[in-house]
Amino acid sequence: MENQVHLWTSSDSALHRLDALCTLRCGHCADTGDPAMSRKQTRTGATASRTAKVTALIKHPGTPLGEQQAGVAALERLGGPLARPTTPGNHLTDADVRKLQPPATGNKITYDGAPAGFGVRVTAAGTKSFIFNYRVKTSGQERRYTIGEFGSWSTSAARAEAKKLRSKVDGGGDPRGEVEEQREAPTMSELCDRFEREHLPKRRVTTQKQYARLIRLYIRPHFGKFAKVSDIKFADIDKLHGNVTKKSGPYNANRCVGVLSKMFSLAIKWEWRTTNPCRGIERNPEPPRKRYLSGEELMRLTMELTKQERQFADIIRLLLLTGARRGEVLGMRWSALDLTKGIWTKPAAETKQASLHVVPLSEPVVTLLKAIERGKSEFVFPSDSTTGHVVEISKAWWKLRESAGLSDLRIHDLRHSFASYLASSGASLPLIGALLGHSNPTTTARYAHLFMDPQRAAAEKVAAIVGNGGRHG
């Protein structure tokens, strides 16, 4: 018996055999029944009796090593204190593991015994893996942790790992529970899904599209499907920011970090992690864009508009004449317009500053709007889209600017051009800010340099008066 490799099983038949062996060798451990005991007490007494039997069998000097090892397994199952075989152990070696034969069905475990719970599992297919059985201190739950396959792990290395696991268990840890918790932890893909499902609908349509585009093109591909939210570090965000900067420019890179920062703020709120890894990322400088239509360029653009489809042409004309944002014009409702008084009331939900914005409409704008046929739709520019109004004009815009020879012109530059015409005509910065719907005066300050011409004209008038001796005429 001592020269053989003993298999440790925990089947009921093996346990019954242990009971029989224990009763045979230690008659004083026999079960005692008491009809007056409750069913629960009976079960408890039976378990205690069986535990005592197995413990006695393990400690019996004449018990073979194989039965002692089986007894250790039985004690784990019964929830009793673990006991090690008293016979000096034959530690498994790599040679022993190689000799282990697969069972006909299922799997078979050969336990090493030191540390308690360490062994090798062999499946019917012949796969051999090192395992570690233990009982969680806090709950008493019996668990099995798979260390790794034989071949990838040597027996000595697996035993050393089992000792580390035993130390962790003795300290109140739960190695398998930690693995399962990490496996079930939310991924970045799941964070993107929840962000798009719960947060984006609260944003403006244009913002939804912009965020969804950044997530689709940059964020999801960078993190993949399996990266855990809790594992993301500052370096991961910094790397993404650098990659997007190189491939798609500084603006897209900064917007990506902005979206991720919001996503991680929500992840903290949802208790998916405790810190925001975007904090401290150095953003790219974003000098304000200064692209305005000159008088000659404006002439070319308006000439080309006469060749375009009418709805698209009217949208571009309104952008030029009002300085409104693209989303505000595309989502314009008839109910927000008072064409008699010449007023456009933009709802807070549809403005970037999230506040009600009332602006006057010039006579050309009123004339343009009155010429648009008003159908059954609530929108000035209806479409079959899910929103009920036009949401995409990029392709038509690209064709227009190419035909007008303005390939570097963006749609948002029409807003800048509107502001520049106001500044050149002498309108004050507060007035320009009010017409554009700026909530921050520093945003309007970008147009201050455009006051140079009217300021020069005013200075010339003063100079003329002074040079004329203060006489008018």
Side-chain angles (χ1 to χ4, degrees):
M1 178 71 73
E2 284 78 357
N3 297 326
Q4 298 176 4
V5 176
H6 303 287
L7 301 181
W8 174 1
T9 67
S10 57
S11 66
D12 285 340
S13 60
L15 192 56
H16 292 326
R17 179 172 176 273
L18 286 169
D19 282 347
L21 286 169
C22 185
T23 302
L24 178 64
R25 292 172 177 162
C26 310
H28 64 278
C29 297
D31 285 331
T32 59
D34 184 354
M37 294 176 65
S38 67
R39 186 174 301 174
K40 180 176 180 180
Q41 291 173 323
T42 301
R43 286 199 302 269
T44 302
T47 300
S49 176
R50 288 157 69 86
T51 301
K53 289 179 181 181
V54 174
T55 303
L57 176 63
I58 293 173
K59 294 182 178 180
H60 194 281
T63 302
L65 177 61
E67 291 180 7
Q68 290 180 345
Q69 290 177 329
V72 173
L75 279 182
E76 284 229 15
R77 185 176 179 188
L78 291 170
L82 293 178
R84 294 184 180 180
T86 55
T87 305
N90 292 325
H91 280 318
L92 289 171
T93 65
D94 287 347
D96 293 330
V97 176
R98 291 191 190 95
K99 294 176 183 177
L100 294 177
Q101 298 299 312
T105 59
N107 62 76
K108 185 168 57 177
I109 297 178
T110 301
Y111 282 89
D112 181 270
F118 172 59
V120 182
R121 179 180 59 217
V122 184
T123 68
T127 301
K128 300 174 182 178
S129 301
F130 294 105
I131 58 94
F132 172 66
N133 280 5
Y134 64 96
R135 188 176 296 280
V136 182
K137 271 192 171 183
T138 54
S139 65
Q141 180 184 12
E142 184 180 351
R143 313 204 71 172
R144 175 172 294 162
Y145 182 98
T146 300
I147 296 173
E149 285 192 26
F150 175 62
S152 298
W153 287 78
S154 67
T155 308
S156 58
R159 182 182 294 107
E161 181 67 14
K163 289 180 179 179
K164 293 179 183 178
L165 294 171
R166 170 54 63 191
S167 177
K168 181 178 292 188
V169 170
D170 291 344
D174 179 8
R176 180 171 172 179
E178 294 169 7
V179 171
E180 291 176 350
E181 183 178 344
Q182 177 65 8
R183 185 183 299 131
E184 295 170 3
T187 64
M188 284 299 296
S189 180
E190 290 171 327
L191 177 59
C192 290
D193 290 341
R194 185 169 180 181
F195 181 79
E196 291 181 321
R197 183 176 64 252
E198 298 183 18
H199 179 72
L200 285 193
K202 301 174 184 178
R203 312 290 292 185
R204 294 182 303 132
V205 174
T206 52
T207 302
Q208 292 180 36
K209 291 182 61 179
Q210 181 190 21
Y211 284 13
R213 173 181 171 274
L214 293 171
I215 291 171
R216 183 182 72 255
L217 294 181
Y218 308 114
I219 296 175
R220 284 187 187 272
H222 180 76
F223 293 106
K225 293 183 178 181
F226 306 110
K228 302 294 185 179
V229 174
S230 57
D231 291 340
I232 304 304
K233 298 178 175 58
F234 173 92
D236 300 314
I237 309 299
D238 196 43
K239 182 178 180 180
L240 171 63
H241 184 251
N243 290 344
V244 177
T245 299
K246 293 177 183 177
K247 295 179 180 179
S248 303
Y251 295 94
N252 279 327
N254 287 353
R255 298 295 89 73
C256 273
V257 173
V259 172
L260 276 169
S261 183
K262 181 61 180 179
M263 290 171 66
F264 282 112
S265 293
L266 290 172
I268 294 172
K269 178 180 178 181
W270 297 332
E271 299 183 352
W272 286 9
R273 64 176 293 140
T274 57
T275 59
N276 190 332
C278 296
R279 193 164 296 163
I281 296 293
E282 186 176 354
R283 311 291 178 93
N284 296 313
E286 293 190 26
R289 181 179 170 92
K290 298 177 181 178
R291 176 65 169 96
Y292 313 104
L293 282 168
S294 66
E296 188 271 334
E297 288 177 329
L298 178 60
M299 183 67 69
R300 296 206 314 260
L301 183 65
T302 53
M303 287 295 294
E304 286 298 325
L305 281 176
T306 61
K307 306 173 186 177
Q308 305 298 313
E309 184 268 331
R310 179 170 177 177
Q311 186 185 65
F312 170 70
D314 285 343
I315 290 172
I316 300 302
R317 291 190 181 101
L318 279 176
L319 289 170
L320 279 167
L321 291 169
T322 63
R325 298 179 177 87
R326 170 170 44 182
E328 294 171 346
V329 171
L330 295 179
M332 180 185 283
R333 288 178 168 85
W334 289 112
S335 59
L337 299 170
D338 187 336
L339 299 183
T340 302
K341 296 180 180 179
I343 292 176
W344 179 13
T345 303
K346 303 175 187 178
E350 298 176 7
T351 63
K352 185 176 181 180
Q353 66 274 24
S355 62
L356 188 71
H357 185 210
V358 181
V359 293
L361 300 176
S362 65
E363 189 58 37
V365 172
V366 173
T367 301
L368 185 155
L369 290 170
K370 285 182 177 180
I372 296 176
E373 183 177 351
R374 186 167 181 172
K376 296 180 180 180
S377 174
E378 63 175 312
F379 296 104
V380 177
F381 301 110
S383 78
D384 296 331
S385 69
T386 55
T387 63
H389 62 78
V390 175
V391 293
E392 187 56 65
I393 58 173
S394 296
K395 291 183 179 179
W397 169 254
W398 293 336
K399 292 180 180 179
L400 170 64
R401 70 179 191 177
E402 291 299 325
S403 60
L406 301 169
S407 59
D408 67 330
L409 190 68
R410 303 179 310 172
I411 292 178
H412 199 69
D413 292 333
L414 302 181
R415 179 174 167 85
H416 295 326
S417 298
F418 175 79
S420 72
Y421 302 147
L422 291 174
S424 299
S425 65
S428 66
L429 286 178
L431 176 58
I432 296 173
L435 289 171
L436 294 179
H438 288 164
S439 57
N440 190 340
T442 58
T443 305
T444 314
R446 73 174 67 178
Y447 303 110
H449 70 284
L450 297 173
F451 285 85
M452 190 62 67
D453 289 340
Q455 289 172 0
R456 181 180 288 107
E460 291 289 349
K461 289 182 180 179
V462 174
I465 294 174
V466 173
N468 197 27
R471 295 188 298 275
H472 297 277

